[in-house]
């Protein structure tokens, strides 16, 4: 029970952590200090975790990682957009 | 087998993803575009995953998350240091 609660809170935290980064980037219109390699590597990693979730039919895991992937892609696109 | 390989590669990617961000920050001496909230929330999330790993006696999981925690703390400290 405690284990499950820890897992749920950890998943929510790690997944939503990207929101303040997106908000900050949107406000300052600058993401130049953010490493593109960092974002791309996290993106590929998360894509593999989605694949792993599909193999395990673990839908919570798939959704959490899909949300992270959307956030990471958003940050990559914002970084390119604000580069101009 | 394929599942395990996917999990290993995903873990390696997500864990090491922070290295290019640390290198970039060290080179540019600037991490102002990086959200502190993002780093702190990821840090707390990863700390909970370590706790979860301890409950499950999953040492690979503990180590991977501990490495991420070290990288995240490094980035928070670098951000504060370069702020001056």
């Amino acid at each position: 029970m405690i284990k499950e609660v820890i897992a749920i809170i950890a998943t929510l935290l790690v997944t939503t952590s990207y929101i303040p980064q997106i908000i900050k980037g949107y406000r300052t219109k600058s993401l130049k200090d953010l490493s593109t390699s960092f974002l791309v590597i996290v993106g590929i990693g998360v894509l593999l975790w989605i694949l792993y979730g599909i193999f395990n039919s673990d839908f919570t895991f798939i959704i959490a990682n899909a949300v992270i992937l959307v956030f990471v892609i958003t940050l990559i696109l914002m970084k390119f957009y604000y580069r101009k």
Side-chain angles (χ1 to χ4, degrees), chain A:
Chain A
M1 175 61 187
I2 299 168
K3 244 171 59 176
E4 280 71 22
V5 173
I6 291 172
I8 291 165
I9 299 171
T11 303
L12 284 175
L13 286 175
V14 172
T15 308
T16 57
S17 65
Y18 292 86
I19 297 172
Q21 182 60 68
I22 291 170
I23 293 170
K24 188 187 174 89
Y26 178 76
R27 282 197 185 138
T28 60
K29 313 285 180 221
S30 171
L31 285 165
K32 68 169 170 44
D33 293 341
L34 215 69
S35 162
T36 309
S37 309
F38 164 66
L39 294 171
V40 170
I41 298 169
V42 171
I44 298 168
V46 162
L47 203 66
L48 289 176
W49 279 132
I50 293 170
L51 205 66
Y52 181 82
I54 292 167
F55 269 108
N56 284 330
S57 306
D58 184 341
F59 295 107
T60 316
F61 193 77
I62 294 169
I63 289 164
N65 281 289
V67 171
I68 295 176
L69 186 62
V70 169
F71 288 154
V72 168
I73 292 170
T74 303
L75 282 169
I76 293 172
L77 294 176
M78 283 170 75
K79 194 175 151 67
F80 266 82
Y81 185 75
Y82 293 143
R83 182 171 284 179
K84 296 167 198 166

